[in-house]
Amino acid sequence: MQWSAKRIARSPLWLLFPIGVIYGTLAVMPLALIVRFSFAGGLKQYRAVLASPLLARIAENTVVVSIITTVVAVLLGYLLAAALWRSGPRLRVLLFMLVLLPFWTGVLVKNFAWAALLQDNGVFNELWLVISPTHKALPLLHNRLAVIIGMVHYVLPYAVFPIYTVMLSIDQRLERAAKSLGASDFSVVSRVIVPLTLPGVYAAGLLVFIISTGFFITPVILGGPADMMIANLVDFYAHQLVDFNRAAALAVLIVVVVSVLVFIYQWCPKEGQYGKA
Amino acid sequence: MARREACESGRTPLSSPASYRGLRVSGRCLLLLACIPVFIYLMLPTLIIVPMALTKGQIIQFPPIWISVHAFADYFKDSQWIDSTIISFKVSILAVCIACVAGSSAAIALHGKTFFGKGAVVGIILTPMVIPLVVLGLGDYLFFTYVQLGERWLEIGLAYSVLVTPYVFITVQAALAGLNPLLARSARSLGAGSASVLYHVHWPTIRPGIAAGAIFAFAVCFDEVVIALFLQSPDATTLPVRMFTSIQYELTPKIAAVASLLLSLASLALLAQAFLPRQRLSPR
Amino acid sequence: MVMDIVIPGLDDSANREAGKRLAGRHLDVRGVWKAYSANQYVVRDVTFTLKPGELLTLLGPSGSGKTTSLMMVAGFELPDRGEIRVDGKNVAWQPPQRRNFGVVFQGYALFPHMSVLENVAFPLRMRRFSSSERRRKSLDMLEKVGLAEFRDRRPADLSGGQQQRVALARALVFEPDALLLDEPLGALDRNLREALQLEIKELQRRIGISILFVTHDQDEAMMMSDSIAVMNEGRIAQIGSPRDVYLHPRSPFVAGFLGETNLLRCTDCEFDGSSARLRFHNGTVGHAQAPQEGYRRQSPHALVSVRPERIRFLTTEETIENVIDGIIVDCTFLGNRSRYVVHALGQKLIVSSTDPTLSQHACTGDSVRLGWARDDAQVLSETDN
């Protein structure tokens, strides 16, 4: 193909110029720099990162917390999506607002609120002290549970929307057909609706998992020292150890893993898996 | 007529379907009931922020000692916090402006085109959404140690512009979905140059998309911590970074006051987006 | 496409197996009313009977209440009042899963996540048949509709005709009291539609189930039905055999909905047995069929319906019960027939003729004599306004 100057000027592809400049300088260059730093001294940095017992512990923590978050968020998200799907138009607008407001609230605001709720003289503990015989506050903050509570709260809207989209694509006649064939309400749900929404559940789970693995702020504010996640480790290498080569190597590893997950997500059918039959 | 009246008066059916109807409704009620705790969980943090900020005390506690606005006054009197707020506004506005230009022009460029590799191009444009923030932050830090602009807030703003361009791209693309690509061609055949096509055909269509994308992009910028942590300097500490470091140190009513203000900003953004006109100008 | 929908011939053993025919039960719908909002009745006093083995069609324009009526029989809507009886037992308040009707929906509503066999076995699973029995019965039914070798396919991989057969098999496998079909052919193109109409008819003949069929297409209704209930504005306007409702419509709506017709106004109308003597506007005397006993109305005005294809062009010496003079104002050649618009009796009459010699000679402006037999004119019992 001939890319003469005239041809480019006539085709609106020149409109890609601004985004090209921005991405070229502010995305490609930084990522290239990371790769360059990571290969300082050959594979030495990677070896050091992978051999570190810190990585193994933090990676395990990241995966476990992300999986729990994903499972809880998808279960609750399914419930919310079903409620949205089954409510009348007015109630649906209200419920949408209820889902969207936390979505728009910043992660800092939400985490601050959870910290205020879960701390020793927070709402839950003050209520607990009223009924508790021992008058000792429960350790709710700075542990894994607090991190999961905060993370599920953040990712829940991301779990609701893919499932809700799939529910909307279900032909309402299928339900009637099932009933006419003798299915009870329970059978309609278990044999027709749940199987048909599974693609949405998978998509939501993968999306939530990808988001969960990238958490940085929540483990710091709501978690304790042992609740560090993988993103915090990059920060730890860069700011505490001031070892940018090692931070870069870890960053490259993260990008590789996330790319694989994103690739799977792209291939995961999101709606109409079975076509319109 | 007589028959109709007879029917109205005799609406009670011969054998009552009430139990059956009741059963049918109850499935939905059960679902909604099961959702109530989840909605409380969703709303609870949002709901407690403002009451926490209105306390008379010097620490965040429950129940708060009502009612005082001293926390808000503390915030407005503290020059460090106000400076951070201004920095955050500067950074966000810069990033949103760049993102609007880059994101919407890219959406127009790709509108109605089919060529080999278009999917890959769209994928590349959306990539910043899935790269972990900590990776972007590290890369930006390394980049700006080589390319020093002198002004730290400029660097943060530029770094954010990449982060939020995908959002503008998506919303503008959605706005353009209602526009028949043939419209641009027919305008061209009627003698309009590239600039006139942009102004008369694309601009009216994408305006709501740009507005929606800009609002969301602004909200993202105003909440971003990780990249700003890497790029911060004493004279360029954004509001989220200041909040983040303060929260780790102590939970004060002042932070609750800032959080309340951020919350009202988020609610405004949500309302703006909900009531934004979504006109479709092209004939269907 | 055509290959696809040919019904596989049944061998003798299959025919003997088919000797165990389903007959269906007596379905009685009596005085059913339904309103969605206060006083906005979409179904008014609908009454009909579906006899075992019969195919009854509810025919009407959209919004006439035909689908709502079917949905009340199926149990998806509750009637405000009235009874739906199966062999005398009122099922009007039972939920759909407790009734025993096979429903085939528009678009078929096959479960996309199940194979053909699983789809057909679904109603048996819901009825807690053992897995071996489920398999035997569903394979049997798939054999009957000629889809046994497709049992492991997904519905999306089947053609429209095959999907319909799966839907029918699924609705028949549990030996329902009747089959309810809600415009199953609505979204299909004409050729496929006609082939599938024949297929349903054939299947019904073979299996012997009674069918309640809903459609807005009068040709479809004519082709398939044992009886037709014409619905309009929530009411059954007329119910009878296709021949009966076509040739002896009771109202202008029924006459017009089942095909093109000429409505002639007349002033005088006297009934004498099954025939009527009437006088048209210009004084010409005519003869027509009287409405059935019980539907006759004494009125100074009456309407007579005459089908365009029943009006003949007469030569000067021919004579028949009704003879009028007119002038051709328009003629259109339509291939298998010609359509004339004739000005007569102070109005425009449509005449449809298959006579090829006539179409060559008759032209606009010609004076003609028109005639039709007494049996081809029907006095309507209602005037609609």
Side-chain angles (χ1 to χ4, degrees):
Chain A
M1 206 180 278
Q2 287 286 312
W3 288 102
S4 65
K6 208 171 162 192
R7 204 192 142 91
I8 290 171
R10 273 185 56 207
S11 124
L13 283 178
W14 61 268
L15 286 166
L16 284 175
F17 183 68
I19 205 168
V21 171
I22 295 288
Y23 275 47
T25 52
L26 296 163
V28 176
M29 300 263 283
L31 292 178
L33 275 172
I34 291 182
V35 174
R36 215 189 90 187
F37 266 75
S38 75
F39 283 109
L43 291 173
K44 205 181 84 195
Q45 307 301 335
Y46 288 96
R47 256 183 244 123
V49 168
L50 288 173
S52 151
L54 206 56
L55 178 75
R57 227 190 57 214
I58 288 178
E60 192 210 327
N61 183 55
T62 307
V63 170
V64 170
V65 169
S66 297
I67 286 175
I68 296 173
T69 302
T70 303
V71 170
V72 176
V74 167
L75 285 177
L76 297 184
Y78 199 95
L79 216 57
L80 292 187
L84 277 172
W85 183 41
R86 278 305 155 106
S87 50
R90 271 193 210 160
L91 185 61
R92 183 177 303 165
V93 170
L94 176 74
L95 297 186
F96 250 114
M97 282 289 176
L98 292 184
V99 175
L100 280 174
L101 186 59
F103 182 65
W104 277 78
T105 314
V107 62
L108 271 177
V109 175
K110 286 196 280 199
N111 279 338
F112 169 74
W114 278 116
L117 283 166
L118 298 174
Q119 67 177 339
D120 282 355
N121 55 349
V123 178
F124 291 133
N125 264 322
E126 293 290 340
L127 293 178
W128 167 248
L129 288 181
V130 174
I131 52 166
S132 146
T134 58
H135 299 286
K136 273 180 80 174
L138 295 172
L140 295 174
L141 193 56
H142 300 307
N143 55 30
R144 185 181 271 186
L145 178 69
V147 175
I148 289 170
I149 288 176
M151 281 174 62
V152 169
H153 188 256
Y154 182 88
V155 297
L156 196 45
Y158 294 95
V160 171
F161 295 124
I163 298 174
Y164 179 62
T165 312
V166 171
M167 284 177 170
L168 282 186
S169 73
I170 293 180
D171 187 345
Q172 302 261 333
R173 274 177 297 209
L174 292 178
E175 203 180 314
R176 290 194 156 192
K179 285 201 173 164
S180 78
L181 296 169
S184 62
D185 288 350
F186 179 78
S187 297
V188 170
V189 171
S190 66
R191 297 212 179 267
V192 178
I193 292 176
V194 169
L196 283 174
T197 46
L198 277 185
V201 170
Y202 297 144
L206 209 46
L207 180 66
V208 166
F209 186 78
I210 291 172
I211 296 171
S212 301
T213 52
F215 265 84
F216 180 97
I217 298 162
T218 308
V220 174
I221 295 180
L222 300 179
D227 294 310
M228 224 187 185
M229 288 180 57
I230 202 84
N232 304 110
L233 188 60
V234 177
D235 179 66
F236 178 75
Y237 280 134
H239 284 133
Q240 309 289 299
L241 304 183
V242 204
D243 184 345
F244 289 104
N245 294 323
R246 219 171 270 188
L250 181 57
V252 170
L253 291 175
I254 294 175
V255 168
V256 169
V257 173
V258 169
S259 304
V260 172
L261 290 176
V262 169
F263 191 73
I264 299 171
Y265 178 71
Q266 293 294 332
W267 277 89
C268 172
K270 283 164 202 79
E271 57 179 298
Q273 182 192 4
Y274 308 103
K276 290 266 172 203
Chain B
M1 210 52 212
R3 210 197 236 141
R4 174 183 267 189
E5 271 151 30
C7 185
E8 279 156 27
S9 62
R11 280 186 62 99
T12 330
L14 301 169
S15 70
S16 169
S19 59
Y20 169 39
R21 259 185 189 146
L23 264 177
R24 244 199 192 173
V25 171
S26 81
R28 230 189 69 187
C29 285
L30 224 66
L31 181 64
L32 287 174
L33 273 176
C35 279
I36 286 174
V38 187
F39 277 113
I40 291 175
Y41 168 61
L42 269 179
M43 295 307 291
L44 191 63
T46 320
L47 292 178
I48 65 139
I49 297 239
V50 177
M52 288 295 179
L54 291 174
T55 184
K56 277 184 186 153
Q58 291 303 318
I59 52 160
I60 294 283
Q61 71 208 67
F62 183 82
I65 312 161
W66 278 348
I67 199 171
S68 157
V69 290
H70 82 91
F72 290 87
D74 285 353
Y75 162 67
F76 282 109
K77 275 187 288 192
D78 190 328
S79 66
Q80 273 193 331
W81 280 86
I82 294 298
D83 285 347
S84 288
T85 312
I86 292 168
I87 292 284
S88 265
F89 269 106
K90 274 156 79 176
V91 162
S92 305
I93 289 167
L94 174 68
V96 167
C97 287
I98 295 174
C100 283
V101 173
S104 54
S105 60
I108 294 171
L110 296 179
H111 176 234
K113 302 270 184 312
T114 45
F115 56 87
F116 179 76
K118 185 189 175 182
V121 172
V122 172
I124 291 169
I125 291 175
L126 299 183
T127 308
M129 289 172 69
V130 290
I131 299 182
L133 288 170
V134 76
V135 176
L136 278 179
L138 179 67
D140 286 326
Y141 177 80
L142 298 176
F143 178 69
F144 283 116
T145 49
Y146 282 92
V147 188
Q148 284 182 358
L149 298 178
E151 288 279 356
R152 270 286 164 165
W153 73 266
L154 259 178
E155 296 173 2
I156 301 175
L158 285 173
Y160 280 5
S161 69
V162 173
L163 184 67
V164 294
T165 297
Y167 297 109
V168 180
F169 176 79
I170 288 173
T171 51
V172 173
Q173 211 181 28
L176 278 173
L179 181 74
N180 187 345
L182 290 177
L183 227 56
R185 277 201 200 166
S186 72
R188 229 164 253 260
S189 78
L190 296 169
S194 300
S196 323
V197 171
L198 272 186
Y199 182 71
H200 290 290
V201 179
H202 292 118
W203 173 242
T205 316
I206 63 173
R207 256 182 323 197
I210 292 185
I215 291 172
F216 198 85
F218 191 88
V220 169
C221 289
F222 224 84
D223 184 48
E224 204 291 321
V225 180
V226 185
I227 294 175
L229 266 178
F230 274 93
L231 296 180
Q232 68 169 332
S233 72
D235 61 326
T237 307
T238 61
L239 190 61
V241 170
R242 195 167 291 284
M243 266 182 87
F244 179 63
T245 36
S246 314
I247 291 172
Q248 283 173 265
Y249 181 63
E250 196 185 10
L251 302 180
T252 61
K254 196 203 281 176
I255 306 175
V258 179
S260 320
L261 295 175
L262 287 178
L263 185 64
S264 47
L265 215 64
S267 319
L268 270 181
L270 174 60
L271 287 178
Q273 198 156 67
F275 292 105
L276 217 63
R278 259 165 240 186
Q279 78 263 38
R280 296 210 178 268
L281 292 161
S282 64
R284 283 259 164 178
Chain C
M1 214 56 186
V2 177
M3 285 298 291
D4 188 22
I5 42 190
V6 166
I7 303 152
L10 292 170
D11 53 23
D12 275 354
S13 65
N15 269 324
R16 245 177 278 119
E17 164 69 14
K20 193 192 82 184
R21 283 155 60 105
L22 306 169
R25 298 204 212 178
H26 209 81
L27 170 67
D28 238 342
V29 174
R30 280 199 210 152
V32 162
W33 292 71
K34 175 74 184 176
Y36 283 119
S37 54
N39 301 332
Q40 297 281 313
Y41 283 92
V42 290
V43 171
R44 301 153 181 266
D45 197 17
V46 161
T47 298
F48 61 81
T49 301
L50 180 64
K51 295 198 243 355
E54 187 189 30
L55 197 156
L56 172 70
T57 298
L58 300 180
L59 171 70
S62 59
S64 58
K66 56 188 192 306
T67 294
T68 308
S69 303
L70 184 92
M71 287 303 156
M72 285 192 284
V73 174
F76 298 116
E77 305 284 354
L78 294 176
D80 291 334
R81 60 200 305 252
E83 291 179 23
I84 296 166
R85 291 178 174 278
V86 176
D87 277 356
K89 182 170 162 275
N90 189 7
V91 297
W93 315 122
Q94 278 185 5
Q97 59 266 34
R98 300 265 180 73
R99 304 190 190 189
N100 201 34
F101 294 121
V103 187
V104 175
F105 295 82
Q106 192 172 7
Y108 310 131
L110 298 177
F111 301 122
H113 57 296
M114 298 182 194
S115 70
V116 167
L117 186 66
E118 286 168 331
N119 261 285
V120 177
F122 185 86
L124 303 175
R125 182 183 278 271
M126 294 301 116
R127 285 167 175 75
R128 306 197 187 286
F129 279 76
S130 74
S131 81
S132 60
E133 197 153 1
R134 281 207 301 264
R135 193 173 164 81
R136 193 183 57 75
K137 279 183 174 259
S138 347
L139 279 176
D140 240 32
M141 190 43 84
L142 279 175
E143 200 80 53
K144 273 186 196 162
V145 298
L147 281 177
E149 71 264 43
F150 293 98
R151 58 174 172 254
D152 295 322
R153 296 242 194 128
R154 288 281 157 98
D157 301 331
L158 299 181
S159 71
Q162 291 167 332
Q163 288 184 15
Q164 165 170 296
R165 280 191 254 157
V166 176
L168 285 167
R170 187 178 68 174
L172 285 168
V173 72
F174 59 97
E175 299 177 11
D177 296 342
L179 207 53
L180 313 178
L181 309 186
D182 180 21
E183 304 216 32
L185 311 174
L188 302 175
D189 66 75
R190 193 172 181 80
N191 286 332
L192 181 58
R193 227 174 131 126
E194 283 178 5
L196 293 180
Q197 287 166 7
L198 282 173
E199 194 167 317
I200 293 176
K201 193 81 182 131
E202 162 68 18
L203 194 73
Q204 187 221 6
R205 194 184 58 73
R206 215 156 9 111
I207 296 178
I209 188 79
S210 40
I211 297 182
L212 181 59
F213 191 88
V214 159
T215 183
H216 63 272
D217 183 327
Q218 26 104 5
D219 291 334
E220 194 166 286
M222 284 290 184
M223 181 160 176
M224 302 185 62
S225 315
D226 296 320
S227 15
I228 297 180
V230 185
M231 290 194 69
N232 185 33
E233 292 174 345
R235 286 181 195 284
I236 290 184
Q238 190 170 347
I239 187 162
S241 69
R243 191 183 173 78
D244 195 39
V245 285
Y246 185 78
L247 293 177
H248 308 297
R250 242 174 251 148
S251 68
F253 174 82
V254 174
F257 195 77
L258 286 169
E260 209 168 24
T261 195
N262 294 293
L263 295 177
L264 308 177
R265 246 167 225 295
C266 37
T267 44
D268 239 5
C269 181
E270 290 166 21
F271 298 124
D272 174 20
S274 69
S275 66
R277 212 180 97 93
L278 27 89
R279 193 181 293 274
F280 296 115
H281 275 304
N282 62 355
T284 314
V285 173
H287 301 272
Q289 290 258 344
Q292 270 178 293
E293 294 283 353
Y295 287 99
R296 289 177 188 179
R297 239 175 16 157
Q298 288 302 331
S299 148
H301 302 288
L303 277 177
V304 176
S305 160
V306 189
R307 298 285 177 193
E309 72 277 8
R310 299 286 170 161
I311 304 182
R312 285 161 43 203
F313 290 98
L314 302 177
T315 54
T316 36
E317 57 272 14
E318 260 185 296
T319 184
I320 198 164
E321 285 99 330
N322 297 279
V323 178
I324 55 166
D325 294 313
I327 297 167
I328 300 181
V329 288
D330 186 46
C331 51
T332 314
F333 177 68
L334 295 171
N336 59 352
R337 63 195 171 97
S338 295
R339 184 176 182 273
Y340 303 88
V341 180
V342 178
H343 195 94
L345 297 174
Q347 69 180 91
K348 289 199 171 84
L349 294 189
I350 315 276
V351 182
S352 177
S353 167
T354 49
D355 185 350
T357 53
L358 189 71
S359 66
Q360 280 170 8
H361 301 297
C363 59
T364 309
D366 285 0
S367 291
V368 287
R369 274 181 90 217
L370 299 176
W372 59 88
R374 184 192 66 95
D375 289 350
D376 293 332
Q378 174 69 43
V379 177
L380 304 181
S381 56
E382 292 163 32
T383 50
D384 272 2
N385 44 23

